[in-house]
């Protein structure tokens, strides 16, 4: 890995993303900057940088998962850094929330991802580093450079080291993830199957069927976000009912709203892999967390040194 001068930049974190930021700083070999978030009785809060950041390249680590306090805290961090005369302000958002609202798919609906992009731009970011956006086109919502990282290199390393399965088949739990699953299947040189689903409403699957053959196969479901875990556990159970030998899953972002953990524990899944883009509230014997800290640390190094980031991607 390349090195950089810690005097030229500083890394800060919002309250909920501090565990990941601490690991990023450890990988960078620098101390995390000191910042205080002061809470008021009515629920408002304010941020204050205890260290001077005048003329520095500032990296602000904060995933924007629920609640909305996380995005608000990030906006205040950006504004405070701008007013403290930071040279560059890079928002490091491992999980970019509201990304599922990336288009107008029905009348009179908001495009939440574009709104968040506009808010971040207005607050004053000069660059965004994020990972596994729900839709790639969200990069175009920003008027600043976007470094879009992929957790595939971390997942593939784990698969190659720990899953020596001769009958591996990659699957997608819905048609929207076909491109993502197909990329994994091509890289691993294994077949792919698709789950086709229809929804009654958000987070509620009405019907699902498999396109392809899973008989006697070890299936690996690929997804980007697991929220209530309804889709991925229903797909896993369906795979087993159709003759799969085992079913595993991986997803970049563990949103895990209730009753996700219970569904995972009761499902046919042998194992499910997540990254630490969102801190895990509960643990399970079926859940395994892989850290993206080194990947983000290397991205920060390369941004500081004006080096290419594309070589970080496996697929």
């Amino acid at each position: 890995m390349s090195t950089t001068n810690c005097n030229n930049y500083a890394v800060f974190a919002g309250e909920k993303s501090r565990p990941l930021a601490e690991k990023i700083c450890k990988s960078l070999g620098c101390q995390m900057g000191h910042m205080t978030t002061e809470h008021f009785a009515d629920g408002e809060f304010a941020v204050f940088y205890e260290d001077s950041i005048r003329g520095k390249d500032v990296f602000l680590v904060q995933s924007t998962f629920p609640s909305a306090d996380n995005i608000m805290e990030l906006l205040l961090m950006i504004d405070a850094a701008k007013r403290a005369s930071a040279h560059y302000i890079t928002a490091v958002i491992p999980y970019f929330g509201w990304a599922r609202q990336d288009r107008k798919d029905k009348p009179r609906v908001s495009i939440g991802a574009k709104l968040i992009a506009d808010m971040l731009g207005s607050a004053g970011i000069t660059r965004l580093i994020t990972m596994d956006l729900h839709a790639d086109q969200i990069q175009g919502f920003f008027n600043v450079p976007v470094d879009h990282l992929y957790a595939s290199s971390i997942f593939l390393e784990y698969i190659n080291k720990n899953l020596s399965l001769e009958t591996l088949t990659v699957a997608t739990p819905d048609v929207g993830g076909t491109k993502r699953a197909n990329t994994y299947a091509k890289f691993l040189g294994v077949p792919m199957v698709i789950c086709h689903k229809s929804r009654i409403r958000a987070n509620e699957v009405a019907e699902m069927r498999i396109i392809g053959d899973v008989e006697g196969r070890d299936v690996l479901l690929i997804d980007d976000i697991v929220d209530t875990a309804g889709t991925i556990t229903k797909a896993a159970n369906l795979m087993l009912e159709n003759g799969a030998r085992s079913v595993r899953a991986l997803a970049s972002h563990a949103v895990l709203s209730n009753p996700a953990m219970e569904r995972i524990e009761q499902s046919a899944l042998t194992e499910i892999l997540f990254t630490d883009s969102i801190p895990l509230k509960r643990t399970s014997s079926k859940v395994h967390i892989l850290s993206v800290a080194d990947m983000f640390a290397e991205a920060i190094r390369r941004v500081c040194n004006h080096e290419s980031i594309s070589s970080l991607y496996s697929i």
Side-chain angles (χ1 to χ4, degrees), residues 175-189:
V175 175
T178 302
K179 180 182 177 183
R180 184 184 307 109
N182 186 52
T183 305
Y184 274 84
K186 281 186 176 180
F187 186 87
L188 294 168

Side-chain angles (χ1 to χ4, degrees), residues 1-2 4 6 9-14 17-33 59-63 90-95 129-131 149 154 276-278 291-301 304:
M1 287 187 178
S2 56
T4 190
C6 279
Y9 72 96
V11 179
F12 295 88
S17 293
R18 193 172 297 272
L20 176 57
E22 287 173 347
K23 287 187 277 188
I24 290 173
C25 288
K26 183 178 180 180
S27 182
L28 285 166
C30 68
Q31 294 292 322
M32 188 163 65
F59 295 85
L60 308 178
V61 182
Q62 179 77 310
S63 284
T90 299
V92 181
I93 308 179
Y95 170 67
I129 301 176
T130 189
M131 181 185 78
L149 309 182
I154 295 163
D276 55 354
S277 64
I278 299 174
S291 182
V292 292
D294 289 342
M295 181 176 69
F296 275 95
E298 183 62 18
I300 290 172
R301 284 192 187 97
C304 288

Side-chain angles (χ1 to χ4, degrees), residues 161-174:
K161 285 184 177 179
N162 299 280
L163 300 183
S164 300
L165 303 172
E166 295 181 0
T167 57
L168 183 64
T169 292
V170 166
T172 174
D174 57 43

